[in-house]
Amino acid sequence: NSGTLTVDEFVFLLKDEEVKKRLEFCDVAPGQLRQIFGWLDSDDNGSISLDELCEGVSNLKERAIHKDTLMMGSLLRRTGMLISSRIKRITQEVDNAFDRAEADCAKE
């Protein structure tokens, strides 16, 4: 009961079935646990305190939010370009249909 977690204790705790499900939901692979521990161990002493854990989780959440925001922005830009392209194509098709209709009317 040192009040800290070693990397082995951290990995052991994260083997809990409920925790594993949550990690899978967050796309965290088991092989990433030691890397995550390294991010949380801010003083590099080989263990994480409750303060390091809380601060690290908060930072990870901020990173995830930032990443999600960037991904959403990229998705919105691509969607906007796709919609714009389709509107141009539809507009061209409508213009061509009117041109054909005018030509047909001129023939009569």
Side-chain angles (χ1 to χ4, degrees), residues 26-88:
C26 296
D27 293 326
V28 175
Q32 295 175 301
L33 295 178
R34 291 185 186 277
Q35 182 180 13
I36 292 169
F37 181 89
W39 291 337
L40 297 174
D41 184 13
S42 60
D43 60 7
D44 290 325
N45 69 351
S47 64
I48 52 175
S49 66
L50 181 58
D51 289 339
E52 284 177 309
L53 180 64
C54 292
E55 184 178 328
V57 168
S58 176
N59 289 338
L60 289 173
K61 281 183 184 179
E62 288 175 18
R63 287 182 190 173
I65 290 169
H66 179 70
K67 181 181 174 184
D68 288 346
T69 301
L70 292 176
M71 288 174 52
M72 184 59 73
S74 176
L75 177 62
L76 288 173
R77 280 191 298 281
R78 286 190 310 233
T79 302
M81 291 178 0
L82 178 63
I83 290 170
S84 177
S85 172
R86 288 186 179 173
I87 288 172
K88 286 179 185 176

Side-chain angles (χ1 to χ4, degrees), residues 19-33:
V19 174
K20 285 167 84 172
K21 287 178 188 177
R22 290 178 188 226
L23 290 173
E24 287 174 13
F25 179 77
C26 296
D27 293 326
V28 175
Q32 295 175 301
L33 295 178

